[in-house]
């Protein structure tokens, strides 16, 4: 079998129509779902929409809503061997005020994902959606779904009432570790529902301003995960910080290491420098990759975060800030590029061989036709 | 050429015990003298990190390595915390608790008939 060349760590599969979820949702919640949707409110309007204008399905459906169209339009076009599906329009259920509703929505979405996407093609790998505001229920959902071999990680929104290192969330990490799955978080609902404001000083004015500053929430969560000893308590746990950027990480690591030398006694359970926990346990995705004027600066940053083991390619298909794997990684040094395009995700998600449906799988020799 | 070493009287054991620590100048170098139990240590009064007067810092214990959310206090009076950035030094070895490569400069101390001498 050939090894994957490109694994896309952030692909958004959408629910074509709200009614599609009804077969998986308890009857008691049907009217709520049909009238309110995921209902976490607020948000900032993008002047160019969040969805790519060219990604509508053949019959005019919502971008990302048709697994067969997505195969053609995204996977085959760019030679992507696997895509980690991260959902769309439903990730923020954790910040809906009603945890019972969020719990049933998570389960309904996961069952729908298996039936609709996992069965459509082996290139699709699923993320188990959880409601992080009810960690005990989330842990049960992880145990329930982890037996599906195509579910390769746990996912929750990065917006939250509380920082992710805090013990409230530990049942989630315990369940993920027990099942050998990484826990991913994804941005987009910061400042919505019952989450805190997206900056400590309140609400940005525009979508532009909001989007620029999303990484501060990632800094806060990563800092919290390390300081609260999550990686001492769950030494096999990996956390994937999706779509949160990369260039802030050296700053955070250095600041944490420096402060650790003076303030260690507040975190006596840490046995190593904070940066060592980060590089061992945190994984980042590329999109939206930072685009400095001097591309060598990006390579330097990638070296600072040991990108050869920590960074995975992602496209964010079909969202407006999509990164084309052939263009977006061009400034990156060759030795790092293959690690980022496939190897790091192969190792994290255990995707050693290309799937059966891939053209590479049936080729007689390694290498082949695709760029 | 370095000058030959010699013994310099710095204080009486009794005074050190009552004052907790003594900072004195020997051959133009500021040195802090500390007692930990029945042993004596002398460290140069300069933090290798930011050149703070480290010997003026708090002498204390600290939280020992523990499990997550456990708090175990120990090493009472064996830790010197730099007054500027709070770096913790092991008074018995001079080493920083986190970064073993960072070390205070120390001098041998000798005791004779209730008198402490610094060897420099």
């Amino acid at each position: 079998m050939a090894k994957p060349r490109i694994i896309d760590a952030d692909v958004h599969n959408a629910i074509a129509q709200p009614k599609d979820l009804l077969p998986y949702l308890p009857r008691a919640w049907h009217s709520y779902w049909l009238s309110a949707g995921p209902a976490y409110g607020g948000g900032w309007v993008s002047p160019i929409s969040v969805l790519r204008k060219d990604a509508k399905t053949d019959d005019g459906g919502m971008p990302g809503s048709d697994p067969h169209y997505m195969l053609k339009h995204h996977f085959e076009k760019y030679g992507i061997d696997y895509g980690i599906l991260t959902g769309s329009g439903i990730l923020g259920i954790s910040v809906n005020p009603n945890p019972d509703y969020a719990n049933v929505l998570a389960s309904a979405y996961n069952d729908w994902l298996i039936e609709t996407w996992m069965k459509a093609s082996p290139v699709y790998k699923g993320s188990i959606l959880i409601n992080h505001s009810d960690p005990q229920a989330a842990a049960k959902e992880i145990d329930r779904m982890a037996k599906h071999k195509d579910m390769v990680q746990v996912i929750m929104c990065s917006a939250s009432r509380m920082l992710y290192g805090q013990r409230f969330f530990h049942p989630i990490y315990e369940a993920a570790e027990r099942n050998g799955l990484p826990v991913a978080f994804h941005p987009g609902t910061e400042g919505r529902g019952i989450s805190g404001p997206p900056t400590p000083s309140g609400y940005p004015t525009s979508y532009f301003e909001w989007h620029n500053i999303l990484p501060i929430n990632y800094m806060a969560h990563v800092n919290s995960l390390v300081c609260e000893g999550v990686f001492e308590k769950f030494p096999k746990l990996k956390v994937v910080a999706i779509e949160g950027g990369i260039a802030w990480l050296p700053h955070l690591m250095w600041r944490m290491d420096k402060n650790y030398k003076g303030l260690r006694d507040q975190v006596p359970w840490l046995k190593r420098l904070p940066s060592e926990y980060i590089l061992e346990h945190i994984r980042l995705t590329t999109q939206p990759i930072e685009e400095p004027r001097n591309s060598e600066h990006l390579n330097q940053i990638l070296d600072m975060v040991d990108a050869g083991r920590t960074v995975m390619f992602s496209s964010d298909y079909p969202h407006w800030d999509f990164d084309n794997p052939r263009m977006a990684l061009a400034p990156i040094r060759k030795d790092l590029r293959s690690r980022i395009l496939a190897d790091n995700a192969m190792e994290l998600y255990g995707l050693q061989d290309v799937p059966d449906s891939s053209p590479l799988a049936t080729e007689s020799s390694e290498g082949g036709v695709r760029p | 050429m370095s000058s030959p070493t010699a013994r310099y009287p710095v204080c009486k054991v009794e005074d050190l015990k009552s004052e907790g620590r003594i900072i004195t100048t020997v051959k133009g170098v500021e040195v802090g003298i500390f007692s930990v139990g029945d042993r004596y240590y002398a460290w140069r009064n300069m933090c290798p990190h930011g050149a703070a007067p480290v010997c003026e810092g708090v002498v204390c214990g600290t939280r020992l390595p523990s499990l997550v959310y456990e708090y175990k206090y120990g090493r009472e009076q064996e830790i010197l915390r730099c007054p500027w950035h709070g770096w913790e030094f092991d008074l018995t070895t001079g080493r920083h608790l986190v970064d073993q490569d960072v070390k205070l400069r120390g001098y041998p101390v000798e005791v004779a008939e209730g008198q402490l001498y610094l060897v420099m």
Side-chain angles (χ1 to χ4, degrees), chain A residues 279-299:
Chain A
L279 296 178
E280 183 178 334
H281 294 277
I282 303 287
R283 296 293 173 263
L284 306 167
T285 64
T286 55
Q287 187 284 335
I289 189 87
E290 285 95 349
E291 297 175 8
R293 282 200 209 182
N294 177 349
S295 63
E296 195 41 41
H297 292 167
L298 179 62
N299 283 306

Side-chain angles (χ1 to χ4, degrees), chain A residues 114-282:
Chain A
I114 299 262
E115 287 302 314
T116 314
W117 287 80
M118 302 295 100
K119 290 188 178 170
S121 167
V123 306
Y124 295 129
K125 294 292 169 185
S127 305
I128 301 170
L129 178 64
I130 57 164
N131 165 30
H132 69 46
S133 71
D134 186 347
Q136 279 73 26
K140 267 193 206 162
E141 183 66 7
I142 293 167
D143 286 335
R144 185 177 80 91
M145 296 310 295
K147 61 180 180 286
H148 293 275
K149 64 175 176 45
D150 292 324
M151 297 296 238
V152 296
Q153 73 181 356
V154 173
I155 195 166
M156 56 196 198
C157 62
S158 53
S160 177
R161 277 183 297 172
M162 296 162 68
L163 293 168
Y164 281 165
Q166 293 179 356
R167 70 188 83 178
F168 175 79
F169 295 108
H170 291 194
I172 294 172
Y173 307 135
E174 188 180 0
E177 191 190 50
R178 178 165 70 232
N179 288 287
L181 296 174
V183 173
F185 45 94
H186 190 288
T189 52
E190 274 75 0
R192 300 172 65 177
I194 57 171
S195 72
T199 87
S201 299
Y203 292 82
T205 303
S206 62
Y207 181 87
F208 167 62
E209 188 181 339
W210 171 79
H211 201 276
N212 293 338
I213 209 69
L214 289 172
I216 61 167
N217 192 36
Y218 277 64
M219 294 177 72
H221 283 317
V222 168
N223 183 40
S224 172
L225 285 162
V226 172
C227 294
E228 298 258 355
V230 166
F231 302 121
E232 275 296 328
K233 210 168 154 186
F234 308 107
K236 291 184 199 145
L237 181 69
K238 296 278 197 285
V239 168
V240 188
I242 300 176
E243 204 177 342
I246 293 167
W248 49 269
L249 191 58
H251 161 81
L252 181 67
M253 291 195 299
W254 297 337
R255 196 174 174 94
M256 289 172 78
D257 284 357
K258 178 164 174 159
N259 276 342
Y260 181 65
K261 290 172 186 166
L263 304 173
R264 175 213 62 87
D265 76 333
Q266 295 203 315
V267 286
W269 39 82
L270 295 192
K271 309 294 190 296
R272 291 179 285 159
L273 290 174
S275 63
E276 295 175 37
Y277 290 100
I278 288 175
L279 296 178
E280 183 178 334
H281 294 277
I282 303 287

